[in-house]
């Protein structure tokens, strides 16, 4: 329901809100713009906002110099791999908890959540040593395993909150109509559960893509995803801001777009259903 | 309601998730606990021996620990102050009707999706660089002396970078909570003659209190473990000026190879995080009953 406000007030709010929004977005915009500059223009003073010679050279150079797509590939494999395995483990669990809850269900959920509260440094040393001794250091398999485990509680929780919204009566109705269990799952439950599963998947891909503790500590070059690749630009020698910007733009663009589409789910997932 | 499955199938369906998480939690944490009582350095293999609480004694009495603890608290506190304070203000603003609401909302939440290494390096180079950075240019433009942000005020700079990432999160959650506020209640208060300030204090703020608590607790859990932003900007320095607990444990384990001390530090970090977690769990647990 719209409140009646004066046009003048509405315009004032419009201007202030846009200015603040643009200010917060500015570092991202600046990165994208810098990625189209030459290295010289990237550090020019005074800096130019759009009046420079636009070039795509940085994008080609990043790929030519450091085989950028290898890191993109690692990011994709690790984010997708850990998400899919996580879903495979979590869907049955969340399903059981939502549709046949016992008095211990709540405790199990809370306990799962508590594993998420564990700070990573609490287990850094043993994980590192186990990985070193089993050859999992700098391997995509190892990283997929770790990211699956750290995000599993969020996946279970999110799926649980979605599944719980599917009314149990609809199952009974289907059964009355003579549907078998298999039919029930395929024709009634799956369509109702799919949107929740898709949202969970989206949020989890975002989280896995941006994870920057384990990816930095457990990889060197082979399995390094984009987080680690970008971190390599922190070395002080040389100013490669235009190339850094090109690499950064490619690294954040897909996730930014996915994030924009999944705002609501993000809230549900990251607050464990406490705020909807 | 056990209509779909019997209890045993339900248990079977939960088993993989429960068993895996149990292993993930117990095995490494148990190892950390065990290592924390050993003298154990990776550079001296085969020399491990039981030392009781020595590692804890050394870790907790090392001046680096108190520095890192203070830095951790300043980092968490600083980011919370900016993100929650700014988040409330921004959410109140964005909740008003104005042109392009949807687009501004997208602009505001965007920083949350930027991976930590990217945001840290973009800020470090393109904004905070004392010679070529935008801040330096602005300072020179006004005839001021440019600041070497990460060298002179390293912790504050990191607070700014991390706050930029978390302000959107706070705003998004508080805005969502605001939108569930009963409009009629607000209008009724307005008709009763309540001004904007008292309406905020007596109606909006109480309504937001739960969302604010959730934001504070969730951010605290994540902020206690800030790592990448420090690694790529200052490496914890200069000296220990921007070293937090997470970074200190990392340095002890993977730079000095002191497994024993790092494990003791890890256990200390777990205990600190648990203190926060208990409060968060209580709130979420209550919500589960509702």
């Amino acid at each position: 329901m719209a409140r009646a406000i004066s046009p003048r007030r509405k315009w004032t709010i419009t201007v202030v809100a846009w200015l603040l929004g643009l200010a917060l977005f500015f570092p991202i915009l600046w990165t994208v713009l810098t990625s189209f500059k030459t290295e010289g223009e990237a550090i020019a003073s005074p800096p130019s906002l759009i009046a420079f010679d636009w070039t795509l050279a940085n994008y080609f150079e990043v790929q030519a110099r450091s085989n950028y797509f290898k890191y993109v590939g690692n990011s994709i494999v690790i984010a997708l791999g850990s998400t899919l395995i996580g879903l495979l483990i979590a869907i049955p669990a969340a399903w059981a908890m939502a549709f046949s809850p016992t008095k211990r269900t709540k405790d199990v959920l809370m306990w799962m959540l508590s594993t998420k509260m564990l700070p990573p440094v609490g287990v850094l040393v043993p994980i590192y040593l186990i990985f070193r001794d089993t050859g999992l250091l700098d391997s995509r398999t190892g990283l997929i395993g770790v990211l699956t485990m750290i995000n599993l509680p969020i996946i279970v929780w999110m799926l649980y909150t979605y599944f719980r919204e599917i009314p149990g009566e609809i199952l009974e109705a289907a059964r009355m109509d003579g549907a078998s269990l298999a039919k029930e799952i395929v024709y009634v439950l799956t369509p109702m559960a799919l949107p929740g599963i898709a949202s969970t998947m989206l949020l989890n891909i975002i989280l896995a893509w941006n994870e920057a503790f384990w990816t930095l500590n457990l990889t060197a070059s082979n399995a390094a995803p984009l987080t680690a690749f970008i971190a390599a630009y922190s070395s002080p020698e040389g100013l490669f801001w235009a190339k850094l910007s090109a690499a950064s733009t490619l690294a954040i663009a897909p996730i930014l777009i996915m994030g924009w589409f999944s705002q609501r789910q993000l809230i549900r997932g990251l607050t464990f259903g406490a705020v909807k | 309601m056990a209509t779909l499955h019997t209890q045993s199938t339900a248990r079977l369906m939960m088993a993989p998730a429960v068993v895996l998480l149990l292993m993930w939690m117990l095995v490494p944490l148990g190892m950390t606990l065990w290592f924390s009582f050993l003298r154990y350095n990776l550079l001296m293999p085969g020399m491990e021996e039981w030392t009781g609480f020595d590692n804890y004694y050394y870790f907790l009495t090392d001046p680096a620990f108190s520095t890192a603890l203070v830095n951790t608290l300043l980092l968490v506190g600083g980011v919370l102050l900016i993100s929650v304070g700014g988040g409330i203000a921004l959410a109140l603003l964005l909740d008003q009707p104005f042109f392009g609401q949807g687009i501004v909302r997208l602009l505001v939440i965007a920083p949350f999706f930027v991976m930590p290494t990217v945001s840290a390096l973009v800020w470090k180079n393109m904004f905070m660089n004392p010679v070529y950075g935008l801040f330096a240019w602005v300072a020179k433009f006004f005839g001021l002396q440019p600041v070497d942000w990460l060298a002179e005020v390293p912790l504050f700079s990191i607070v700014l970078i991390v706050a930029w990432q978390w302000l959107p999160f706070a705003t998004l959650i508080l805005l969502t909570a605001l939108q569930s506020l009963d409009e009629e209640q607000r209008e009724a208060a307005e008709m009763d003659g309540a001004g904007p300030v008292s309406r905020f204090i007596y109606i909006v703020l109480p309504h937001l209190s739960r969302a604010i608590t959730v934001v504070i607790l969730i951010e605290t859990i994540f902020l206690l473990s800030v790592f990448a932003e420090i690694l790529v900007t200052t490496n914890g320095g200069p000296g220990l000026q921007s070293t937090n607990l997470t970074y200190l444990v990392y340095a002890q384990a993977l730079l000095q190879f002191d497994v024993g001390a790092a494990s003791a530090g890890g256990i200390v970090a777990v205990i600190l995080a648990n203190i926060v977690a208990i409060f968060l769990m209580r709130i979420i647990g209550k919500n589960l009953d509702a």
Side-chain angles (χ1 to χ4, degrees):
Chain A
M1 191 189 67
R3 263 166 291 163
I5 62 166
S6 67
R8 198 178 137 171
R9 187 179 142 100
K10 186 165 180 175
W11 274 109
T12 319
I13 294 170
T14 304
V15 171
V16 176
W18 272 91
L19 282 179
L20 285 172
L22 286 171
L24 277 171
F25 188 72
F26 184 71
I28 298 173
L29 179 69
W30 192 243
T31 308
V32 176
L33 288 173
T34 307
S35 74
F36 295 110
K37 297 179 178 178
T38 61
E39 293 295 354
E41 279 165 335
I43 56 171
S45 180
S48 59
L49 196 59
I50 44 171
F52 54 85
D53 292 326
W54 292 64
T55 171
L56 280 171
N58 299 306
Y59 288 90
F60 293 109
E61 275 221 26
V62 164
Q63 165 59 14
R65 277 200 191 178
S66 46
N67 194 9
Y68 182 76
F69 283 104
K70 181 180 97 178
Y71 303 97
V72 176
N74 284 339
S75 271
I76 293 174
V77 169
I78 291 165
L80 279 184
S82 65
T83 300
L84 291 179
I85 297 175
L87 281 175
L88 230 59
I89 302 168
I91 288 174
W95 196 267
M97 286 193 260
F99 292 111
S100 344
T102 64
K103 48 188 187 303
R104 279 210 310 265
T105 302
K106 190 188 155 186
D107 297 331
V108 174
L109 273 167
M110 294 310 286
W111 164 74
M112 285 188 169
L113 184 58
S114 75
T115 66
K116 187 68 203 156
M117 314 278 167
L118 194 66
V121 281
V123 292
L124 171 64
V125 175
I127 296 291
Y128 185 84
L129 293 178
I130 293 171
F131 271 42
R132 187 196 60 180
D133 296 339
T134 51
L136 284 172
L137 264 189
D138 202 15
S139 78
R140 297 196 284 201
T141 318
L143 219 47
I144 289 175
V146 168
L147 292 193
T148 303
M149 295 319 296
I150 63 166
N151 288 329
L152 190 58
I154 292 189
I155 305 188
V156 172
W157 260 88
M158 251 183 107
L159 288 174
Y160 171 76
T161 62
Y162 279 113
F163 289 168
R164 217 170 48 150
E165 284 166 12
I166 299 176
E169 292 83 27
I170 204 156
L171 299 179
E172 277 165 39
R175 212 161 301 150
M176 301 263 253
D177 291 343
S180 67
L181 182 64
K183 274 199 178 134
E184 197 179 287
I185 290 175
V186 174
Y187 294 109
V188 185
L189 291 176
T190 313
M192 297 191 75
L194 268 184
I197 295 175
S199 318
T200 309
M201 192 170 150
L202 216 56
L203 172 70
N204 202 66
I205 290 174
I206 295 173
L207 290 177
W209 186 276
N210 287 345
E211 202 285 331
F213 181 82
W214 294 108
T215 51
L216 290 175
N217 278 312
L218 298 178
T219 64
S221 63
N222 275 332
L226 288 167
T227 44
F229 171 71
I230 302 281
Y233 276 88
S234 65
S235 61
E237 68 268 11
L239 295 164
F240 299 113
W241 296 1
K243 281 182 221 40
L244 165 67
S245 298
S248 299
T249 302
L250 289 175
I252 62 178
I255 289 309
L256 190 54
I257 292 164
M258 284 172 82
W260 276 340
F261 279 110
S262 59
Q263 297 177 46
R264 294 250 157 222
Q265 292 73 10
L266 182 99
I267 297 172
R268 193 197 272 250
L270 286 177
T271 61
F272 298 97
V275 175
K276 274 183 206 163
Chain B
M1 183 198 72
T3 48
L4 178 56
H5 301 284
T6 61
Q7 287 306 324
S8 59
T9 5
R11 228 170 272 153
L12 206 65
M13 286 163 77
M14 283 165 60
V18 171
V19 171
L20 281 171
L21 271 176
L22 199 63
M23 274 166 52
W24 167 253
M25 194 160 102
L26 290 183
V27 174
L29 204 55
M31 284 171 78
T32 306
L33 198 60
W34 168 245
F35 291 157
S36 74
F37 292 112
L38 296 182
R39 178 180 303 153
Y40 184 1
N41 193 304
L42 290 180
L43 298 177
M44 296 180 284
M47 305 269 287
E48 298 86 35
E49 57 177 359
W50 182 263
T51 59
F53 282 92
D54 274 10
N55 285 322
Y56 289 94
Y57 179 76
Y58 288 124
F59 186 82
L60 294 173
T61 54
D62 184 350
F65 168 71
S66 49
T67 310
L69 187 63
V70 171
N71 285 346
T72 306
L73 296 177
L74 287 175
L75 178 59
V76 173
V79 176
L80 281 180
L81 203 69
I82 298 175
S83 64
V84 175
I88 293 175
L90 261 176
L92 284 172
L93 181 74
L94 298 185
D95 190 38
Q96 319 271 326
F98 64 91
F99 300 109
Q101 214 165 8
I103 300 171
V104 170
R105 199 180 144 119
L106 292 184
L107 293 178
V108 168
I109 64 163
F112 188 67
F113 301 113
V114 176
M115 57 174 65
T117 45
V118 166
S119 56
L121 282 180
V122 164
W123 280 93
K124 175 193 179 184
N125 289 322
M126 282 134 71
F127 289 88
M128 292 173 171
N129 184 294
V131 183
Y132 304 109
L134 271 184
F135 288 169
W137 178 73
V138 172
K140 274 182 271 182
F141 186 82
F142 289 107
L144 299 168
Q145 185 67 30
V147 177
D148 188 352
W149 291 82
L150 286 159
E152 289 169 35
V153 280
L155 195 62
F156 178 69
S157 306
I158 290 173
V159 167
L160 283 186
I161 298 173
V162 178
W164 179 69
Q165 295 171 276
W166 284 96
L167 175 61
F169 173 78
T171 307
L172 188 60
I173 288 185
L174 296 174
L175 183 57
T176 309
L178 258 188
Q179 282 165 347
S180 67
L181 176 60
D182 189 5
E183 200 55 53
E184 281 168 23
Q185 204 183 359
R186 224 191 297 203
E187 266 170 24
E190 205 172 342
M191 279 196 261
D192 288 346
V197 177
S198 47
R199 257 179 293 156
F200 175 72
I201 293 176
Y202 295 110
I203 296 179
V204 178
L205 213 51
H207 176 77
L208 282 185
S209 65
R210 214 175 75 110
I212 293 175
T213 318
V214 170
V215 168
I216 291 177
L217 292 169
I218 289 176
E219 281 196 19
T220 306
I221 301 260
F222 281 93
L223 295 175
L224 283 172
S225 298
V226 166
F227 172 74
E229 292 87 343
I230 297 175
L231 180 78
V232 301
T233 53
T234 63
N235 270 311
L240 290 168
Q241 284 183 52
S242 57
T243 295
N244 67 354
L245 264 184
T246 300
Y247 196 83
L248 183 67
V249 174
Y250 153 81
Q252 226 132 24
L254 299 186
L255 302 180
Q256 293 165 25
F257 305 106
D258 190 342
V259 170
S263 300
I267 296 297
V268 172
V270 169
I271 292 170
L272 288 178
N274 266 304
I275 297 172
V276 182
I278 289 170
F279 290 105
L280 180 55
M281 303 271 285
R282 226 174 255 165
I283 292 182
I284 293 172
K286 248 182 228 157
N287 187 61
L288 208 58
D289 294 328

